[in-house]
Amino acid sequence: MSSKNTMTRDAMLFLPAKIAEGLLVIACSSLYTHLFYQSTVGTFNFINFNVQIAYLILAGWMANAATRYVGEEFQHDQGRGLFSTVSTVYLLICAAVAVFCCTAAAVTGDRLYLGFLTMFCSYTVFQILNSALIQLGRMKASISLSLLSAVLKLAVAYVLVYGMDNPASPFPAIAANTVADGLAGLGAIAALGLPAIVRLRWFSRALFGRFLKYGLPLMGVSISVTLLNQIDKYLVVGFFNMDVYGIYSSNNSIAAGLFTMISVGIMRGVYPAVLRAWREGGQTAAKPLLDQGVRLYLLIAAPAVAGLTAVSLPMSRFLFAEGYEAGAPVIAYTALAMLFMGLTEYANKAYELEQSTVQVLQNSAAAAVIKVLSSIVLLRVLGFTGGALGSVVAFASYFVITCVRVRRRFLFRLAPASVLRILLSALLCGTAAYGCTLLPVGNLMRLVLAVPAGALVYAVCIIVSGEGRAELQAIRHRLHR
């Protein structure tokens, strides 16, 4: 089987699982809005995304470096040095966070710092080890553990909040996330066989030096990307209050959750193949796979943007408690912003493959400044939904800046005719779905009709235009086997 077919197969294996995971995340968001006060939802969401920010800043650099080198280090010594080094650094990071959170909790009397600590430790270990599973080709373990985590976040939260007398407390949701990621992290430890190969005395200074050289510029990237992803949320809290933030963040989670899963699902099939090709044949071997990966991403992401935009209002009304539908435009804006974010990730691969990450820092920092300025202006002009529109401006700018600069190395290329066919098909998909939302029926029935209608129109357009011929053949081959 060719590298392109293998890559497509891996991406198609991940994608359904990641979409299912995204749907479970949405189910959690929906459940919380019906069980908690708006301010409680806002508080938990605020803690959750601060955990993600802390991970990106404190541990993201190491996770990226470990992902970059785990394949070659595993061939060298079964990953003994790498995982021992990663484990040592992880424990030091968690110890530093624990000192900060325990001190803050003691001084302020706010137990939420302790909830932040437990969520950070469990989230970080699973994120790092799950990336290692992917790079080592252990796809089934990664998919199973990711789904387990998503299921437990929903199930444990439901068990803990069932019949709860205090819907103002976010701790049931905090506990659910801690347990879910913690158990998934333990599963990843077992799948990688770490108890047999990790010893703190095997910490490698040389490998740690490589981590720092590759990863430290990415720490700046993480901060810039964090601003790109999250500054609108801080600004919404600052401009308004936790009730409004609860509405904003819940609607934002719909598009962000689904698109993150789409991007991750496809990238986890694409990047290992691109990285292997780079090691074996350099740019000549890697670039065709990168081109195919971007096309595959656009093939899935474009109709997702159109569909989410079309059904944003009935979806918000159906999923969330009364009052949350005011944030429906956030779903559409976030989906478009995430589309540009995904394309930028592919454009950045040239920098990552050549281990030159300083330019990524420069580009993301420039886009972060644009994000702050545009979000402030749009929040004042449009209200809280302007924060999401500021994300569109920022990520579109990030994509353009990156494309202009990375062309000096190499940039993915898509045939203009292919892009046109995909975008027109996506537009027709969104039109069909939107038409169903105008029917004189309930919100659930509108969604039930709109989703398959949009998907059917898109599939027909893609097949008739010939754009989806290769994917259709791959599906037929899979079914035949």
Side-chain angles (χ1 to χ4, degrees), residues 4-50:
K4 285 186 179 181
N5 289 337
T6 301
M7 182 184 71
T8 301
R9 180 203 64 193
D10 290 344
M12 289 298 100
L13 178 66
F14 267 112
L15 191 56
K18 284 299 168 185
I19 291 176
E21 187 180 339
L23 293 175
L24 289 169
V25 171
I26 290 172
C28 280
S29 297
S30 175
L31 176 68
Y32 294 167
T33 66
H34 290 283
L35 292 174
F36 299 113
Y37 298 134
Q38 285 182 359
S39 59
T40 309
V41 173
T43 299
F44 169 73
N45 288 344
F46 195 68
I47 294 171
N48 190 37
F49 90 76
N50 273 291

Side-chain angles (χ1 to χ4, degrees), residues 38-43 45-46 49 232-249 379 383-384:
Q38 285 182 359
S39 59
T40 309
V41 173
T43 299
N45 288 344
F46 195 68
F49 90 76
D232 56 308
K233 297 176 181 178
Y234 283 116
L235 291 172
V236 169
V237 172
F239 275 72
F240 302 97
N241 53 44
M242 277 297 177
D243 288 69
V244 172
Y245 177 71
I247 296 172
Y248 181 89
S249 58
L379 280 168
F384 72 92

Side-chain angles (χ1 to χ4, degrees), residues 139-169:
M139 310 295 187
K140 292 182 180 179
S142 172
I143 291 171
S144 300
L145 292 171
S146 295
L147 287 175
L148 172 67
S149 175
V151 169
L152 287 176
K153 286 175 183 176
L154 179 63
V156 175
Y158 183 78
V159 169
L160 291 177
V161 301
Y162 185 74
M164 184 179 63
D165 295 327
N166 181 20
S169 172

